[in-house]
Amino acid sequence: MMKSVAVIGTGIMGAGIAAGFIAQNIPVVILGRSKDKADACLDKAITLAKKIGMIGDNANKEDGDIKKQQFIGVLEDWQDWNQFSWVIETVAENLDLKKAVFQYLDQVVPADIPIGSNSSGFPISKIADGLKTANRMMGAHYFMPAEVVPLVEIVMGQKTELKYAEQACELYRAVEKKPVLVKKDIPGFLANRIQHALMREALSLVQEGIATPADIDDAVRYSFGFRYAAVGPMTQKEISGWDGMANAAKEIYPSLSNITALPPKVVQLMADGKTGMKAGEGFRKWTPEEIKTVSDSYSRRLKAAFDVLNIE
C-alpha cells in the first residue's frame, strides 16, 4: 500500500505533481525554501486536484478538510522521511541547485525509498553523480500541465537499479498515470526526442518557405496527430502495414532535415524578443483576447483528449 509522497519544490510543476496524488487520495508533503511558499503551493495543488476530479472520500470534502490531510515544511527542517513511498524533486531547472538537493536527500532519505527528479533537461546521472545511493535515484519527467497530462517518463541513470525504476512505474500506475521506462539516460529522454525530431522538420519547412506555421499545425492536428490520440505511431503502422511505410521512407528519408542548430528564422524571432504568447508575438502577433481564447480552448481539448485515451 502506498504511503505518502514528498514533493520538493513549490512552483507550477510542484503544484501539478502534488495535485495528481491528492486527487487520488495519496497524502503529500510539500517541502520548499519557506513554509509560506509551501503553503501557497499546497493551496494551488488542492484547487487543481478538485478541478481534475477527486476520488473516494475526498470528493465531497471542503478544501480545508483536504488540506488537513497534507503537510508542508522547509526541506532542511523535515525529519520524518520514513513515511514516504516516493520522493520527487521539482525545483528550478538549475543543475547546481538540483545536485545540492540530491546530495542532501542522499543523506537523509532512507536508502530503500526511491527518489526522482522532474528535470526536463539534466540527466539523472549528472544530478546524482558521486552519491552513495544513486542506485535508487532516477528521472521522473512530467509534462505540463502535470495534473492533466498522463505521461511520466521514468529514466534510469548509469547507476539506477531496475527494481527501483520498476517500483516507480508501479507507483504511477496505481495513481492512474502512464509511466514509460527509459532504460538509458539519453538527452531528451523519450518523448522530447520524438517531439524535437518533429519540430526540426516543421521548422525547416517554415524556414524554406514550403509551409506556414498555421498550415503545419493543421497538417499535424488533422492527420497523424488526430490518429495518435487513438493509438501511438508504432501500433498505427502495425495497423496500416510496415511495407507501405518502408516504401515511402525510401523517398522521404533522404530529404528530411538533419540540421543541428535552430533555423535562422527562429533565431531571429528570439533576438527580436518574439518568444510567443508571453511576449505578445512569435511567428504571429497575439492579443490578450486571443491568448485567453486559445488557452481556454487548449484546456478543453486536453480534457477531451484525456477522455479519448481512457476509451477501452
Side-chain angles (χ1 to χ4, degrees), residues 43-277:
D43 286 340
K44 184 170 185 177
I46 293 171
T47 298
L48 292 173
K50 297 195 79 171
K51 187 175 180 180
I52 61 176
M54 303 283 292
I55 67 167
D57 295 338
N58 278 344
N60 298 315
K61 287 184 178 179
E62 297 295 326
D63 288 9
D65 292 327
I66 297 172
K67 192 170 184 177
K68 291 176 183 177
Q69 297 176 290
Q70 327 303 325
F71 294 90
I72 63 162
V74 175
L75 175 60
E76 290 79 6
D77 295 339
W78 191 259
Q79 300 293 322
D80 188 13
W81 293 99
N82 283 296
Q83 74 177 80
F84 300 120
S85 294
W86 175 238
V87 175
I88 180 166
E89 166 273 315
T90 178
V91 300
E93 197 72 359
N94 177 293
L95 181 58
D96 289 339
L97 175 60
K98 288 182 182 292
K99 290 181 72 171
V101 170
F102 266 74
Q103 186 174 25
Y104 181 74
L105 297 177
D106 184 47
Q107 300 169 13
V108 299
V109 180
D112 61 325
I113 297 174
I115 303 173
S117 171
N118 182 50
S119 174
S120 59
F122 299 121
I124 190 64
S125 297
K126 284 188 177 180
I127 295 172
D129 183 42
L131 301 181
K132 65 179 183 297
T133 66
N135 63 308
R136 48 77 179 263
M137 298 175 180
M138 67 203 78
H141 180 224
Y142 280 74
F143 291 78
M144 291 183 68
E147 71 276 9
V148 175
V149 180
L151 187 72
V152 182
E153 295 179 306
I154 300 301
V155 186
M156 296 180 62
Q158 294 175 359
K159 295 186 177 180
T160 309
E161 289 184 27
L162 181 60
K163 67 176 183 178
Y164 289 112
E166 290 178 337
Q167 184 177 334
C169 287
E170 285 299 318
L171 179 149
Y172 278 111
R173 292 189 192 101
V175 294
E176 299 185 4
K177 284 291 188 180
K178 193 69 175 179
V180 292
L181 180 59
V182 185
K183 298 178 181 178
K184 189 174 182 180
D185 199 4
I186 57 175
F189 316 138
L190 180 59
N192 271 336
R193 288 183 73 90
I194 298 169
Q195 181 174 238
H196 275 269
L198 184 151
M199 283 304 302
R200 176 167 67 174
E201 185 61 32
L203 292 174
S204 294
L205 292 169
V206 172
Q207 178 67 40
E208 294 168 18
I210 294 171
T212 66
D215 282 337
I216 287 172
D217 277 353
D218 285 346
V220 172
R221 288 186 60 214
Y222 293 101
S223 63
F224 61 85
F226 176 77
R227 298 188 307 209
Y228 288 170
V231 295
M234 304 299 285
T235 300
Q236 197 281 320
K237 288 302 177 226
E238 290 284 335
I239 293 170
S240 65
W242 289 101
D243 50 342
M245 191 283 302
N247 289 330
K250 292 176 184 177
E251 185 71 24
I252 297 171
Y253 276 22
S255 69
L256 290 174
S257 173
N258 61 1
I259 58 174
T260 58
L262 287 172
K265 283 189 177 181
V266 181
V267 174
Q268 188 61 51
L269 277 180
M270 293 188 295
D272 294 339
K274 299 176 181 178
T275 54
M277 285 186 177

